[in-house]
Amino acid sequence: MRTFVRIVEAGSLSAAAKQMGTTQATVSRRLQSLETLLGVKLIMRTTHAMKLTDDGERGYQHAKNIIDAWLALEDGLNVTEDEPVGTLRVRAPHAFGQQQLLEPLLQFLSRYPQLSVEWMLNDKTVDFLSDNIDCAIRVGAEVDPATVSVLLAEVPRSMVASPVLLEQYGEISHPEQLSVLPWIAVNTFFQHSVSLLHQARNEPVTLTISPRLSTDSIYVARNAALAGLGVTIVSSWMVEEDIANGRLVMLLPEWRAASLPVHLVYPWARYYPTRLRKFLALMKDVMPQLTGMKRVEPI
């Protein structure tokens, strides 16, 4: 039944086989076994297309319910005193995953010795089915209504440049002056323009910029700024120490780029295993307490 559900959701036997790490022949054999067991044809296949039969449509919904019920039973029988077991597959952004969240993750694993975690660092859009992951931590991404998105905290950002660079351009006292400076764009969040908001007057401004360097890594952006290449806007926690030690200067601190929301995202399901529920509880507790993070006040 799990193979049948994966075939339907993946769209083909070959795609299902790839996602499940097996062969197309094995997937086909499992499908035939299920059809023989049930005495009905579930999927009509031609050379170029695949379509569920009416029995297949009903069978798909029932199979999902049975699988969820089985997972609940399996989880309940294997959990001692609500101890999570099995493997949790998580995708996290590179910066968070390498630095901010590593210590909480290690403590989480220490607390639950029967649990394993696959910790995959990737900033790309999540496809839970093809990527075979249970949940993802997303920074600054739009909420997908097809998933469950839990807002954990916000990441304040700082606009910074090296003292050496600023010596070349003189004092920056107005946002309009920023356009003439060389920039390092973090293209996940900004590329050819930046939007700022005056913290006291609530006055917005959008400026056109010309990046010398464009990157999807805030580590690269921060290091390039330290080298004097240009101005950038990165997570405040990453450059807090650089600013305190004078390696970077915060430009126009009264003008700030919007903080980025941090969500824990996972697909809708009728049943969520203990390992996912425990990880969600951990993230809700830990994320607002991380260095440089901003707690989200309930509305």
Side-chain angles (χ1 to χ4, degrees), residues 169-205:
Y169 289 88
E171 183 181 357
I172 305 297
S173 56
H174 301 287
E176 290 75 15
Q177 295 173 276
L178 297 170
S179 291
V180 302
L181 297 178
W183 275 80
I184 304 156
V186 182
N187 55 31
T188 316
F189 307 116
F190 67 95
Q191 296 188 57
H192 302 295
S193 66
V194 293
S195 296
L196 306 171
L197 183 70
H198 194 282
Q199 300 303 289
R201 301 196 298 265
N202 205 33
E203 175 188 338
V205 63

PDB file of all heavy atoms in Angstrom, residues 169-205:
ATOM      1  N   TYR A 169      34.122  56.415   0.490  1.00  0.00           N
ATOM      2  CA  TYR A 169      32.891  57.092   0.072  1.00  0.00           C
ATOM      3  C   TYR A 169      32.423  58.179   1.032  1.00  0.00           C
ATOM      4  O   TYR A 169      31.453  58.879   0.750  1.00  0.00           O
ATOM      5  CB  TYR A 169      31.770  56.061  -0.113  1.00  0.00           C
ATOM      6  CG  TYR A 169      31.973  55.184  -1.319  1.00  0.00           C
ATOM      7  CD1 TYR A 169      32.716  54.007  -1.232  1.00  0.00           C
ATOM      8  CD2 TYR A 169      31.455  55.533  -2.566  1.00  0.00           C
ATOM      9  CE1 TYR A 169      32.921  53.195  -2.333  1.00  0.00           C
ATOM     10  CE2 TYR A 169      31.650  54.721  -3.679  1.00  0.00           C
ATOM     11  CZ  TYR A 169      32.392  53.569  -3.555  1.00  0.00           C
ATOM     12  OH  TYR A 169      32.604  52.769  -4.663  1.00  0.00           O
ATOM     13  N   GLY A 170      33.093  58.306   2.154  1.00  0.00           N
ATOM     14  CA  GLY A 170      32.714  59.348   3.094  1.00  0.00           C
ATOM     15  C   GLY A 170      31.510  58.950   3.930  1.00  0.00           C
ATOM     16  O   GLY A 170      30.981  57.834   3.848  1.00  0.00           O
ATOM     17  N   GLU A 171      31.031  59.866   4.728  1.00  0.00           N
ATOM     18  CA  GLU A 171      29.926  59.594   5.660  1.00  0.00           C
ATOM     19  C   GLU A 171      28.621  59.354   4.896  1.00  0.00           C
ATOM     20  O   GLU A 171      28.282  60.078   3.960  1.00  0.00           O
ATOM     21  CB  GLU A 171      29.747  60.771   6.620  1.00  0.00           C
ATOM     22  CG  GLU A 171      28.668  60.534   7.664  1.00  0.00           C
ATOM     23  CD  GLU A 171      28.482  61.721   8.587  1.00  0.00           C
ATOM     24  OE1 GLU A 171      29.245  62.709   8.443  1.00  0.00           O
ATOM     25  OE2 GLU A 171      27.590  61.686   9.441  1.00  0.00           O
ATOM     26  N   ILE A 172      27.885  58.341   5.311  1.00  0.00           N
ATOM     27  CA  ILE A 172      26.570  58.030   4.739  1.00  0.00           C
ATOM     28  C   ILE A 172      25.508  58.479   5.743  1.00  0.00           C
ATOM     29  O   ILE A 172      25.409  57.941   6.848  1.00  0.00           O
ATOM     30  CB  ILE A 172      26.418  56.521   4.461  1.00  0.00           C
ATOM     31  CG1 ILE A 172      27.552  56.019   3.566  1.00  0.00           C
ATOM     32  CG2 ILE A 172      25.059  56.221   3.846  1.00  0.00           C
ATOM     33  CD1 ILE A 172      27.582  56.654   2.195  1.00  0.00           C
ATOM     34  N   SER A 173      24.740  59.480   5.361  1.00  0.00           N
ATOM     35  CA  SER A 173      23.748  60.034   6.301  1.00  0.00           C
ATOM     36  C   SER A 173      22.315  59.920   5.796  1.00  0.00           C
ATOM     37  O   SER A 173      21.370  60.143   6.557  1.00  0.00           O
ATOM     38  CB  SER A 173      24.052  61.508   6.589  1.00  0.00           C
ATOM     39  OG  SER A 173      24.105  62.252   5.368  1.00  0.00           O
ATOM     40  N   HIS A 174      22.125  59.570   4.496  1.00  0.00           N
ATOM     41  CA  HIS A 174      20.783  59.446   3.924  1.00  0.00           C
ATOM     42  C   HIS A 174      20.688  58.160   3.102  1.00  0.00           C
ATOM     43  O   HIS A 174      21.668  57.751   2.467  1.00  0.00           O
ATOM     44  CB  HIS A 174      20.459  60.651   3.022  1.00  0.00           C
ATOM     45  CG  HIS A 174      20.518  61.964   3.737  1.00  0.00           C
ATOM     46  ND1 HIS A 174      19.557  62.374   4.634  1.00  0.00           N
ATOM     47  CD2 HIS A 174      21.440  62.959   3.691  1.00  0.00           C
ATOM     48  CE1 HIS A 174      19.876  63.568   5.100  1.00  0.00           C
ATOM     49  NE2 HIS A 174      21.022  63.944   4.545  1.00  0.00           N
ATOM     50  N   PRO A 175      19.532  57.526   3.086  1.00  0.00           N
ATOM     51  CA  PRO A 175      19.377  56.284   2.322  1.00  0.00           C
ATOM     52  C   PRO A 175      19.708  56.434   0.841  1.00  0.00           C
ATOM     53  O   PRO A 175      20.230  55.508   0.216  1.00  0.00           O
ATOM     54  CB  PRO A 175      17.894  55.926   2.515  1.00  0.00           C
ATOM     55  CG  PRO A 175      17.496  56.576   3.780  1.00  0.00           C
ATOM     56  CD  PRO A 175      18.298  57.843   3.848  1.00  0.00           C
ATOM     57  N   GLU A 176      19.427  57.623   0.272  1.00  0.00           N
ATOM     58  CA  GLU A 176      19.667  57.837  -1.159  1.00  0.00           C
ATOM     59  C   GLU A 176      21.145  57.649  -1.521  1.00  0.00           C
ATOM     60  O   GLU A 176      21.482  57.302  -2.660  1.00  0.00           O
ATOM     61  CB  GLU A 176      19.190  59.233  -1.571  1.00  0.00           C
ATOM     62  CG  GLU A 176      17.688  59.419  -1.570  1.00  0.00           C
ATOM     63  CD  GLU A 176      17.101  59.549  -0.170  1.00  0.00           C
ATOM     64  OE1 GLU A 176      17.883  59.780   0.791  1.00  0.00           O
ATOM     65  OE2 GLU A 176      15.868  59.406  -0.019  1.00  0.00           O
ATOM     66  N   GLN A 177      22.026  57.891  -0.556  1.00  0.00           N
ATOM     67  CA  GLN A 177      23.461  57.751  -0.815  1.00  0.00           C
ATOM     68  C   GLN A 177      23.877  56.290  -0.998  1.00  0.00           C
ATOM     69  O   GLN A 177      24.947  56.000  -1.545  1.00  0.00           O
ATOM     70  CB  GLN A 177      24.262  58.368   0.339  1.00  0.00           C
ATOM     71  CG  GLN A 177      24.091  59.867   0.490  1.00  0.00           C
ATOM     72  CD  GLN A 177      24.771  60.378   1.740  1.00  0.00           C
ATOM     73  OE1 GLN A 177      24.207  60.341   2.826  1.00  0.00           O
ATOM     74  NE2 GLN A 177      26.011  60.840   1.588  1.00  0.00           N
ATOM     75  N   LEU A 178      23.043  55.376  -0.548  1.00  0.00           N
ATOM     76  CA  LEU A 178      23.384  53.954  -0.613  1.00  0.00           C
ATOM     77  C   LEU A 178      23.462  53.431  -2.045  1.00  0.00           C
ATOM     78  O   LEU A 178      24.179  52.482  -2.332  1.00  0.00           O
ATOM     79  CB  LEU A 178      22.360  53.124   0.186  1.00  0.00           C
ATOM     80  CG  LEU A 178      22.297  53.389   1.687  1.00  0.00           C
ATOM     81  CD1 LEU A 178      21.083  52.686   2.290  1.00  0.00           C
ATOM     82  CD2 LEU A 178      23.581  52.907   2.369  1.00  0.00           C
ATOM     83  N   SER A 179      22.720  54.055  -2.945  1.00  0.00           N
ATOM     84  CA  SER A 179      22.665  53.572  -4.324  1.00  0.00           C
ATOM     85  C   SER A 179      24.007  53.668  -5.041  1.00  0.00           C
ATOM     86  O   SER A 179      24.289  52.895  -5.966  1.00  0.00           O
ATOM     87  CB  SER A 179      21.607  54.345  -5.116  1.00  0.00           C
ATOM     88  OG  SER A 179      20.309  54.019  -4.653  1.00  0.00           O
ATOM     89  N   VAL A 180      24.845  54.610  -4.639  1.00  0.00           N
ATOM     90  CA  VAL A 180      26.124  54.795  -5.322  1.00  0.00           C
ATOM     91  C   VAL A 180      27.198  53.849  -4.797  1.00  0.00           C
ATOM     92  O   VAL A 180      28.274  53.730  -5.386  1.00  0.00           O
ATOM     93  CB  VAL A 180      26.616  56.256  -5.195  1.00  0.00           C
ATOM     94  CG1 VAL A 180      25.578  57.211  -5.774  1.00  0.00           C
ATOM     95  CG2 VAL A 180      26.927  56.620  -3.748  1.00  0.00           C
ATOM     96  N   LEU A 181      26.917  53.154  -3.687  1.00  0.00           N
ATOM     97  CA  LEU A 181      27.900  52.249  -3.107  1.00  0.00           C
ATOM     98  C   LEU A 181      27.893  50.906  -3.843  1.00  0.00           C
ATOM     99  O   LEU A 181      26.874  50.483  -4.386  1.00  0.00           O
ATOM    100  CB  LEU A 181      27.585  52.007  -1.627  1.00  0.00           C
ATOM    101  CG  LEU A 181      27.633  53.217  -0.691  1.00  0.00           C
ATOM    102  CD1 LEU A 181      27.240  52.803   0.711  1.00  0.00           C
ATOM    103  CD2 LEU A 181      29.017  53.847  -0.688  1.00  0.00           C
ATOM    104  N   PRO A 182      29.022  50.209  -3.851  1.00  0.00           N
ATOM    105  CA  PRO A 182      29.022  48.837  -4.379  1.00  0.00           C
ATOM    106  C   PRO A 182      28.294  47.923  -3.397  1.00  0.00           C
ATOM    107  O   PRO A 182      28.393  48.107  -2.172  1.00  0.00           O
ATOM    108  CB  PRO A 182      30.512  48.490  -4.471  1.00  0.00           C
ATOM    109  CG  PRO A 182      31.170  49.368  -3.453  1.00  0.00           C
ATOM    110  CD  PRO A 182      30.371  50.635  -3.399  1.00  0.00           C
ATOM    111  N   TRP A 183      27.582  46.921  -3.920  1.00  0.00           N
ATOM    112  CA  TRP A 183      26.759  46.062  -3.074  1.00  0.00           C
ATOM    113  C   TRP A 183      27.104  44.590  -3.242  1.00  0.00           C
ATOM    114  O   TRP A 183      27.599  44.166  -4.293  1.00  0.00           O
ATOM    115  CB  TRP A 183      25.277  46.260  -3.394  1.00  0.00           C
ATOM    116  CG  TRP A 183      24.669  47.411  -2.648  1.00  0.00           C
ATOM    117  CD1 TRP A 183      24.759  48.730  -2.970  1.00  0.00           C
ATOM    118  CD2 TRP A 183      23.899  47.333  -1.447  1.00  0.00           C
ATOM    119  NE1 TRP A 183      24.100  49.501  -2.038  1.00  0.00           N
ATOM    120  CE2 TRP A 183      23.545  48.659  -1.093  1.00  0.00           C
ATOM    121  CE3 TRP A 183      23.456  46.295  -0.637  1.00  0.00           C
ATOM    122  CZ2 TRP A 183      22.792  48.965   0.033  1.00  0.00           C
ATOM    123  CZ3 TRP A 183      22.693  46.580   0.485  1.00  0.00           C
ATOM    124  CH2 TRP A 183      22.373  47.907   0.815  1.00  0.00           C
ATOM    125  N   ILE A 184      26.817  43.836  -2.201  1.00  0.00           N
ATOM    126  CA  ILE A 184      26.878  42.372  -2.227  1.00  0.00           C
ATOM    127  C   ILE A 184      25.446  41.904  -1.986  1.00  0.00           C
ATOM    128  O   ILE A 184      24.902  42.082  -0.893  1.00  0.00           O
ATOM    129  CB  ILE A 184      27.807  41.823  -1.126  1.00  0.00           C
ATOM    130  CG1 ILE A 184      29.194  42.440  -1.251  1.00  0.00           C
ATOM    131  CG2 ILE A 184      27.861  40.300  -1.180  1.00  0.00           C
ATOM    132  CD1 ILE A 184      29.979  42.440   0.036  1.00  0.00           C
ATOM    133  N   ALA A 185      24.832  41.350  -3.019  1.00  0.00           N
ATOM    134  CA  ALA A 185      23.426  40.955  -2.926  1.00  0.00           C
ATOM    135  C   ALA A 185      23.298  39.517  -2.426  1.00  0.00           C
ATOM    136  O   ALA A 185      24.011  38.629  -2.887  1.00  0.00           O
ATOM    137  CB  ALA A 185      22.741  41.091  -4.281  1.00  0.00           C
ATOM    138  N   VAL A 186      22.391  39.305  -1.468  1.00  0.00           N
ATOM    139  CA  VAL A 186      22.005  37.952  -1.060  1.00  0.00           C
ATOM    140  C   VAL A 186      20.750  37.637  -1.866  1.00  0.00           C
ATOM    141  O   VAL A 186      19.642  38.031  -1.498  1.00  0.00           O
ATOM    142  CB  VAL A 186      21.744  37.871   0.453  1.00  0.00           C
ATOM    143  CG1 VAL A 186      21.382  36.437   0.859  1.00  0.00           C
ATOM    144  CG2 VAL A 186      22.960  38.354   1.238  1.00  0.00           C
ATOM    145  N   ASN A 187      20.940  36.978  -3.016  1.00  0.00           N
ATOM    146  CA  ASN A 187      19.868  36.933  -4.014  1.00  0.00           C
ATOM    147  C   ASN A 187      18.643  36.125  -3.590  1.00  0.00           C
ATOM    148  O   ASN A 187      17.627  36.147  -4.271  1.00  0.00           O
ATOM    149  CB  ASN A 187      20.406  36.420  -5.362  1.00  0.00           C
ATOM    150  CG  ASN A 187      21.098  35.077  -5.245  1.00  0.00           C
ATOM    151  OD1 ASN A 187      20.761  34.256  -4.406  1.00  0.00           O
ATOM    152  ND2 ASN A 187      22.089  34.858  -6.102  1.00  0.00           N
ATOM    153  N   THR A 188      18.725  35.430  -2.469  1.00  0.00           N
ATOM    154  CA  THR A 188      17.533  34.782  -1.932  1.00  0.00           C
ATOM    155  C   THR A 188      16.530  35.818  -1.458  1.00  0.00           C
ATOM    156  O   THR A 188      15.313  35.579  -1.483  1.00  0.00           O
ATOM    157  CB  THR A 188      17.906  33.865  -0.742  1.00  0.00           C
ATOM    158  OG1 THR A 188      19.071  33.117  -1.073  1.00  0.00           O
ATOM    159  CG2 THR A 188      16.772  32.921  -0.408  1.00  0.00           C
ATOM    160  N   PHE A 189      17.032  36.991  -1.037  1.00  0.00           N
ATOM    161  CA  PHE A 189      16.170  37.996  -0.426  1.00  0.00           C
ATOM    162  C   PHE A 189      16.176  39.345  -1.149  1.00  0.00           C
ATOM    163  O   PHE A 189      15.214  40.090  -1.089  1.00  0.00           O
ATOM    164  CB  PHE A 189      16.568  38.202   1.037  1.00  0.00           C
ATOM    165  CG  PHE A 189      16.611  36.926   1.827  1.00  0.00           C
ATOM    166  CD1 PHE A 189      17.804  36.471   2.366  1.00  0.00           C
ATOM    167  CD2 PHE A 189      15.474  36.156   1.998  1.00  0.00           C
ATOM    168  CE1 PHE A 189      17.850  35.279   3.088  1.00  0.00           C
ATOM    169  CE2 PHE A 189      15.502  34.971   2.721  1.00  0.00           C
ATOM    170  CZ  PHE A 189      16.699  34.534   3.261  1.00  0.00           C
ATOM    171  N   PHE A 190      17.271  39.697  -1.817  1.00  0.00           N
ATOM    172  CA  PHE A 190      17.299  40.947  -2.585  1.00  0.00           C
ATOM    173  C   PHE A 190      18.368  40.837  -3.659  1.00  0.00           C
ATOM    174  O   PHE A 190      19.379  40.161  -3.463  1.00  0.00           O
ATOM    175  CB  PHE A 190      17.545  42.160  -1.674  1.00  0.00           C
ATOM    176  CG  PHE A 190      18.910  42.201  -1.030  1.00  0.00           C
ATOM    177  CD1 PHE A 190      19.944  42.920  -1.609  1.00  0.00           C
ATOM    178  CD2 PHE A 190      19.162  41.517   0.157  1.00  0.00           C
ATOM    179  CE1 PHE A 190      21.210  42.969  -1.025  1.00  0.00           C
ATOM    180  CE2 PHE A 190      20.418  41.555   0.756  1.00  0.00           C
ATOM    181  CZ  PHE A 190      21.440  42.282   0.170  1.00  0.00           C
ATOM    182  N   GLN A 191      18.104  41.502  -4.797  1.00  0.00           N
ATOM    183  CA  GLN A 191      19.058  41.427  -5.906  1.00  0.00           C
ATOM    184  C   GLN A 191      19.406  42.795  -6.476  1.00  0.00           C
ATOM    185  O   GLN A 191      20.545  43.215  -6.425  1.00  0.00           O
ATOM    186  CB  GLN A 191      18.497  40.531  -7.017  1.00  0.00           C
ATOM    187  CG  GLN A 191      18.323  39.076  -6.576  1.00  0.00           C
ATOM    188  CD  GLN A 191      17.948  38.170  -7.727  1.00  0.00           C
ATOM    189  OE1 GLN A 191      18.647  38.082  -8.726  1.00  0.00           O
ATOM    190  NE2 GLN A 191      16.820  37.485  -7.596  1.00  0.00           N
ATOM    191  N   HIS A 192      18.397  43.503  -7.026  1.00  0.00           N
ATOM    192  CA  HIS A 192      18.668  44.777  -7.693  1.00  0.00           C
ATOM    193  C   HIS A 192      18.045  45.974  -6.969  1.00  0.00           C
ATOM    194  O   HIS A 192      18.154  47.102  -7.429  1.00  0.00           O
ATOM    195  CB  HIS A 192      18.169  44.722  -9.135  1.00  0.00           C
ATOM    196  CG  HIS A 192      18.793  43.607  -9.930  1.00  0.00           C
ATOM    197  ND1 HIS A 192      20.143  43.575 -10.217  1.00  0.00           N
ATOM    198  CD2 HIS A 192      18.264  42.473 -10.464  1.00  0.00           C
ATOM    199  CE1 HIS A 192      20.412  42.476 -10.904  1.00  0.00           C
ATOM    200  NE2 HIS A 192      19.296  41.793 -11.060  1.00  0.00           N
ATOM    201  N   SER A 193      17.379  45.707  -5.848  1.00  0.00           N
ATOM    202  CA  SER A 193      16.827  46.791  -5.041  1.00  0.00           C
ATOM    203  C   SER A 193      16.753  46.337  -3.588  1.00  0.00           C
ATOM    204  O   SER A 193      16.710  45.126  -3.313  1.00  0.00           O
ATOM    205  CB  SER A 193      15.433  47.197  -5.536  1.00  0.00           C
ATOM    206  OG  SER A 193      14.501  46.145  -5.343  1.00  0.00           O
ATOM    207  N   VAL A 194      16.758  47.310  -2.685  1.00  0.00           N
ATOM    208  CA  VAL A 194      16.591  47.014  -1.257  1.00  0.00           C
ATOM    209  C   VAL A 194      15.492  47.904  -0.703  1.00  0.00           C
ATOM    210  O   VAL A 194      15.359  49.071  -1.096  1.00  0.00           O
ATOM    211  CB  VAL A 194      17.894  47.229  -0.462  1.00  0.00           C
ATOM    212  CG1 VAL A 194      18.947  46.227  -0.869  1.00  0.00           C
ATOM    213  CG2 VAL A 194      18.421  48.645  -0.620  1.00  0.00           C
ATOM    214  N   SER A 195      14.709  47.361   0.192  1.00  0.00           N
ATOM    215  CA  SER A 195      13.630  48.106   0.845  1.00  0.00           C
ATOM    216  C   SER A 195      13.967  48.263   2.319  1.00  0.00           C
ATOM    217  O   SER A 195      14.285  47.281   2.999  1.00  0.00           O
ATOM    218  CB  SER A 195      12.294  47.373   0.685  1.00  0.00           C
ATOM    219  OG  SER A 195      11.921  47.312  -0.678  1.00  0.00           O
ATOM    220  N   LEU A 196      13.892  49.494   2.797  1.00  0.00           N
ATOM    221  CA  LEU A 196      14.208  49.815   4.187  1.00  0.00           C
ATOM    222  C   LEU A 196      13.038  50.541   4.825  1.00  0.00           C
ATOM    223  O   LEU A 196      12.206  51.139   4.132  1.00  0.00           O
ATOM    224  CB  LEU A 196      15.462  50.686   4.269  1.00  0.00           C
ATOM    225  CG  LEU A 196      16.720  50.162   3.572  1.00  0.00           C
ATOM    226  CD1 LEU A 196      17.802  51.242   3.561  1.00  0.00           C
ATOM    227  CD2 LEU A 196      17.222  48.893   4.247  1.00  0.00           C
ATOM    228  N   LEU A 197      12.993  50.507   6.154  1.00  0.00           N
ATOM    229  CA  LEU A 197      11.925  51.183   6.894  1.00  0.00           C
ATOM    230  C   LEU A 197      12.542  51.962   8.047  1.00  0.00           C
ATOM    231  O   LEU A 197      13.331  51.406   8.828  1.00  0.00           O
ATOM    232  CB  LEU A 197      10.916  50.156   7.431  1.00  0.00           C
ATOM    233  CG  LEU A 197       9.690  50.726   8.164  1.00  0.00           C
ATOM    234  CD1 LEU A 197       8.767  51.438   7.161  1.00  0.00           C
ATOM    235  CD2 LEU A 197       8.939  49.624   8.891  1.00  0.00           C
ATOM    236  N   HIS A 198      12.193  53.257   8.152  1.00  0.00           N
ATOM    237  CA  HIS A 198      12.666  54.070   9.270  1.00  0.00           C
ATOM    238  C   HIS A 198      11.949  53.615  10.532  1.00  0.00           C
ATOM    239  O   HIS A 198      10.717  53.615  10.598  1.00  0.00           O
ATOM    240  CB  HIS A 198      12.401  55.558   9.006  1.00  0.00           C
ATOM    241  CG  HIS A 198      13.150  56.461   9.938  1.00  0.00           C
ATOM    242  ND1 HIS A 198      12.751  56.691  11.234  1.00  0.00           N
ATOM    243  CD2 HIS A 198      14.288  57.184   9.756  1.00  0.00           C
ATOM    244  CE1 HIS A 198      13.591  57.526  11.816  1.00  0.00           C
ATOM    245  NE2 HIS A 198      14.545  57.830  10.935  1.00  0.00           N
ATOM    246  N   GLN A 199      12.722  53.221  11.534  1.00  0.00           N
ATOM    247  CA  GLN A 199      12.150  52.588  12.713  1.00  0.00           C
ATOM    248  C   GLN A 199      11.278  53.526  13.540  1.00  0.00           C
ATOM    249  O   GLN A 199      10.292  53.094  14.143  1.00  0.00           O
ATOM    250  CB  GLN A 199      13.267  52.018  13.592  1.00  0.00           C
ATOM    251  CG  GLN A 199      14.103  50.971  12.881  1.00  0.00           C
ATOM    252  CD  GLN A 199      13.265  49.803  12.359  1.00  0.00           C
ATOM    253  OE1 GLN A 199      12.771  48.998  13.139  1.00  0.00           O
ATOM    254  NE2 GLN A 199      13.096  49.721  11.046  1.00  0.00           N
ATOM    255  N   ALA A 200      11.593  54.811  13.570  1.00  0.00           N
ATOM    256  CA  ALA A 200      10.810  55.761  14.375  1.00  0.00           C
ATOM    257  C   ALA A 200       9.636  56.334  13.589  1.00  0.00           C
ATOM    258  O   ALA A 200       8.516  56.440  14.104  1.00  0.00           O
ATOM    259  CB  ALA A 200      11.716  56.890  14.878  1.00  0.00           C
ATOM    260  N   ARG A 201       9.870  56.700  12.331  1.00  0.00           N
ATOM    261  CA  ARG A 201       8.830  57.370  11.534  1.00  0.00           C
ATOM    262  C   ARG A 201       7.976  56.396  10.728  1.00  0.00           C
ATOM    263  O   ARG A 201       7.002  56.818  10.092  1.00  0.00           O
ATOM    264  CB  ARG A 201       9.478  58.382  10.579  1.00  0.00           C
ATOM    265  CG  ARG A 201      10.286  59.462  11.285  1.00  0.00           C
ATOM    266  CD  ARG A 201      10.556  60.629  10.345  1.00  0.00           C
ATOM    267  NE  ARG A 201      11.341  60.244   9.175  1.00  0.00           N
ATOM    268  CZ  ARG A 201      12.656  60.356   9.084  1.00  0.00           C
ATOM    269  NH1 ARG A 201      13.349  60.806  10.134  1.00  0.00           N
ATOM    270  NH2 ARG A 201      13.304  60.013   7.992  1.00  0.00           N
ATOM    271  N   ASN A 202       8.372  55.116  10.730  1.00  0.00           N
ATOM    272  CA  ASN A 202       7.654  54.107   9.947  1.00  0.00           C
ATOM    273  C   ASN A 202       7.568  54.500   8.467  1.00  0.00           C
ATOM    274  O   ASN A 202       6.575  54.258   7.787  1.00  0.00           O
ATOM    275  CB  ASN A 202       6.247  53.884  10.515  1.00  0.00           C
ATOM    276  CG  ASN A 202       5.702  52.501  10.181  1.00  0.00           C
ATOM    277  OD1 ASN A 202       6.454  51.539  10.093  1.00  0.00           O
ATOM    278  ND2 ASN A 202       4.403  52.401   9.964  1.00  0.00           N
ATOM    279  N   GLU A 203       8.649  55.101   7.997  1.00  0.00           N
ATOM    280  CA  GLU A 203       8.718  55.619   6.616  1.00  0.00           C
ATOM    281  C   GLU A 203       9.484  54.635   5.734  1.00  0.00           C
ATOM    282  O   GLU A 203      10.648  54.335   6.010  1.00  0.00           O
ATOM    283  CB  GLU A 203       9.413  56.979   6.634  1.00  0.00           C
ATOM    284  CG  GLU A 203       9.670  57.574   5.261  1.00  0.00           C
ATOM    285  CD  GLU A 203      10.528  58.822   5.350  1.00  0.00           C
ATOM    286  OE1 GLU A 203      10.576  59.452   6.433  1.00  0.00           O
ATOM    287  OE2 GLU A 203      11.171  59.160   4.339  1.00  0.00           O
ATOM    288  N   PRO A 204       8.873  54.120   4.661  1.00  0.00           N
ATOM    289  CA  PRO A 204       9.566  53.152   3.802  1.00  0.00           C
ATOM    290  C   PRO A 204      10.357  53.840   2.695  1.00  0.00           C
ATOM    291  O   PRO A 204      10.016  54.954   2.255  1.00  0.00           O
ATOM    292  CB  PRO A 204       8.420  52.333   3.215  1.00  0.00           C
ATOM    293  CG  PRO A 204       7.278  53.300   3.139  1.00  0.00           C
ATOM    294  CD  PRO A 204       7.455  54.269   4.283  1.00  0.00           C
ATOM    295  N   VAL A 205      11.396  53.175   2.226  1.00  0.00           N
ATOM    296  CA  VAL A 205      12.132  53.649   1.063  1.00  0.00           C
ATOM    297  C   VAL A 205      12.674  52.422   0.322  1.00  0.00           C
ATOM    298  O   VAL A 205      13.073  51.438   0.946  1.00  0.00           O
ATOM    299  CB  VAL A 205      13.290  54.591   1.462  1.00  0.00           C
ATOM    300  CG1 VAL A 205      14.318  53.866   2.321  1.00  0.00           C
ATOM    301  CG2 VAL A 205      13.959  55.191   0.234  1.00  0.00           C
TER     302      VAL A 205
END
